[in-house]
Amino acid sequence: MTSTVLPGHPHIAYRGADLFIEDLPVAQLAQMHGTPLFVYSSAAMQEALAAYQRGFAGRKVQICYAMKANPSLAIVQFFARQGCGFDIVSGGELERVLAAGGDAGKVIFSGVGKTRAEMRQALQAGILCFNVESEAELEVLSEVAVSMGLQAPVSIRVNPNVDPKTHPYISTGLKGNKFGVAHERTLATYQRAASLAGIRVVGIDCHIGSQITEATPYLDAADRVLDLIEAIEAAGIPIHHIDFGGGLGINYNGDTPPAADDLWAQLLAKMDARGFGDRQFLIEPGRSLVGNAGLCVTEVLYLKPGEEKNFCIVDAAMNDLPRPAMYQAFHGIVPLQQHSEVPAQVYDVVGPVCESGDWLGRERSLAVCPGDRLAVLSAGAYCMSMSSNYNTRGRAAEVLVSGSTSTVIRPRETAADSFRNERLLAL
Ligand SMILES: *Cc1c(COP(=O)(O)O)cnc(C)c1O
């Protein structure tokens, strides 16, 4: 039987007419668990992580999975078992790390709006580092730490003002973005940090955006950060670790991002050339570890031919997969079973939610009948994690595949689950 791997989607392949994830037919999983259903390949996650590990072979590095990409407990546990730390953006994510058996000592806490309660929680847990995003946050963090008789380990997130050439909503390292401390304020901020009783400077970090498909923005940002380290250390403040953030893109629609090991070979060559090669490095990859390891299976409910458009109405919607509605993002959509007897037609693939923005794919050529199932590709990152209960739709189930075994890591949510915490009025 011929096996055709989908480009950019290792471990997802047609064997004959049937779509497989590792050694399991996806249709069998849909039959067992219903739809919409997220399915992830552990081999694909493993390989994505291995590319980073190869890139850093022989270096001091802590890979911190940016878990907002997919924070399901079993996914967090999977990366914790591989030695990963975590980049978190809320106290809730810290609770998930601990619930999944992760190590608080490998956690870095990013985000522009950390509350005092979250700071206390993270200090209590003993996290590795706070990535501080403003001068105001630094003052509050010092106060909170002093009140606990502690010092907060801190890295300042620098906004290097480089254009990552990605979607404006996921670009974070330009002057107009809310993230990080402006390049020209960085030295002054470090000097203030070094003077605060509750702060211990440990590193520097930058994260310039997401779905970056070229090496150049990283190389430019690296130069800017290394310049800053030289200035900060010249002022007598040692920088122990350098954190380059995450943001490496994946192939959604023929995109050709550099492989993680290639990108890091280029970046580390720059570090070596400038005398920083033996530093402790931190990185925060999210999407590139999980994005193309996952797919979302959905069933075709109705075909609705129209004067201007044909609609293929499926049982997954913007509440399950918000990226198309939010960013006009492209996700490949392929049938679980290829059949030749139905002629292909061009459809907008849409969900049942009462919003015109509820679409998963536009103008896709598909040979489908009602009852057929489709796989929405590249659904491992920022899909389940952004899902909601809009329209009182329970969240989808999730299954993790390894070889020919599958494990339900999140059973399907019922409507009752979704309103369990609500209360009726007394009268
Ligand atoms: C979201 C985020 C990441 C991960 O970004 P990806 O594009 O998913 O790799 C890393 N660091 C910070 C601070 C983030 O906010």
Side-chain angles (χ1 to χ4, degrees):
M1 201 181 340
T2 56
S3 174
T4 324
V5 176
L6 303 185
H9 301 269
H11 303 287
I12 300 174
Y14 282 103
R15 293 188 192 170
D18 297 311
L19 191 70
F20 276 66
I21 185 161
E22 300 196 26
D23 296 325
L24 287 175
V26 180
Q28 182 186 316
L29 295 169
Q31 193 70 47
M32 282 168 68
H33 305 293
T35 54
L37 177 71
F38 284 92
V39 185
Y40 310 114
S41 156
S42 45
M45 295 193 296
Q46 185 85 59
E47 267 171 39
L49 177 61
Y52 280 97
Q53 289 165 331
R54 274 196 307 278
F56 281 97
R59 311 277 180 161
K60 288 176 275 183
V61 69
Q62 177 62 59
I63 300 173
C64 293
Y65 167 51
M67 61 184 282
K68 72 178 187 291
N70 189 327
S72 294
L73 288 183
I75 304 289
V76 172
Q77 180 189 35
F78 177 90
F79 286 109
R81 284 180 175 171
Q82 313 289 319
C84 288
F86 299 93
D87 175 70
I88 64 166
V89 290
S90 71
E93 287 192 343
L94 178 55
E95 285 187 44
R96 278 186 180 272
V97 170
L98 300 176
D103 179 353
K106 295 181 181 173
V107 165
I108 49 182
F109 192 172
S110 302
V112 297
K114 303 176 193 78
T115 64
R116 284 167 196 264
E118 288 175 319
M119 290 172 179
R120 269 192 295 275
Q121 181 190 353
L123 282 164
Q124 202 101 55
I127 66 164
L128 176 63
C129 184
F130 290 84
N131 287 354
V132 169
E133 305 223 13
S134 66
E135 296 169 67
E137 179 192 340
L138 192 60
E139 303 290 332
V140 171
L141 180 58
S142 179
E143 250 176 65
V144 172
V146 166
S147 77
M148 298 172 73
L150 296 171
Q151 275 197 318
V154 156
S155 150
I156 307 283
R157 176 167 175 185
V158 181
N159 183 335
N161 194 27
V162 299
D163 185 354
K165 304 192 179 81
T166 183
H167 189 283
Y169 281 13
I170 50 178
S171 133
T172 58
L174 274 167
K175 272 193 174 167
N177 294 129
K178 69 177 177 182
F179 298 101
V181 171
H183 190 265
E184 51 282 3
R185 288 291 306 161
T186 304
L187 178 56
T189 308
Y190 269 98
Q191 284 169 323
R192 179 67 185 148
S195 76
L196 289 169
I199 301 293
R200 179 163 49 89
V201 171
V202 293
I204 189 165
D205 85 284
C206 75
H207 169 72
I208 55 176
S210 200
Q211 186 52 20
I212 301 169
T213 54
E214 294 169 42
T216 319
Y218 280 103
L219 294 164
D220 293 348
D223 268 322
R224 308 267 290 166
V225 169
L226 298 185
D227 292 346
L228 283 170
I229 298 175
E230 285 167 355
I232 296 160
E233 294 193 330
I237 304 166
I239 299 292
H240 174 251
H241 75 242
I242 312 176
D243 176 350
F244 277 107
L248 182 58
I250 60 172
N251 178 358
Y252 284 104
N253 187 20
D255 312 284
T256 52
D261 45 353
D262 289 351
L263 174 67
W264 283 100
Q266 291 183 57
L267 276 160
L268 289 164
K270 180 179 285 295
M271 303 295 145
D272 288 339
R274 294 194 54 178
F276 290 92
D278 61 352
R279 295 292 178 111
Q280 168 74 43
F281 296 109
L282 260 59
I283 52 165
E284 310 166 354
R287 187 191 314 271
S288 52
L289 291 180
V290 291
N292 274 349
L295 47 81
C296 180
V297 189
T298 183
E299 183 176 318
V300 176
L301 299 174
Y302 304 105
L303 296 178
K304 187 172 174 181
E307 259 175 48
E308 286 181 19
K309 272 178 183 295
N310 301 315
F311 292 101
C312 171
I313 303 172
V314 298
D315 68 356
M318 65 185 288
N319 74 296
D320 303 298
L321 260 140
R323 296 188 70 258
M326 250 178 112
Y327 316 113
Q328 277 132 45
F330 180 97
H331 286 265
I333 301 178
V334 300
L336 298 199
Q337 263 139 351
Q338 294 172 316
H339 45 132
S340 42
E341 65 276 19
V342 187
Q345 287 213 57
V346 174
Y347 295 100
D348 276 12
V349 180
V350 301
V353 163
C354 303
E355 298 276 346
S356 293
D358 179 28
W359 57 276
L360 302 180
R362 286 187 164 149
E363 296 182 9
R364 303 303 175 84
S365 175
L366 293 165
V368 282
C369 307
D372 285 357
R373 296 189 186 100
L374 301 172
V376 181
L377 303 175
S378 310
Y382 303 108
C383 290
M384 189 51 153
S385 62
M386 287 183 154
S387 68
S388 76
N389 291 118
Y390 189 41
N391 281 209
T392 306
R393 292 167 51 85
R395 280 186 178 74
E398 290 180 298
V399 168
L400 181 60
V401 169
S402 176
S404 54
T405 62
S406 67
T407 308
V408 177
I409 60 169
R410 183 197 299 255
R412 184 171 306 288
E413 193 181 41
T414 64
D417 289 333
S418 80
F419 58 73
R420 175 154 300 146
N421 273 332
E422 298 175 35
R423 295 291 179 270
L424 291 169
L425 299 174
L427 291 176

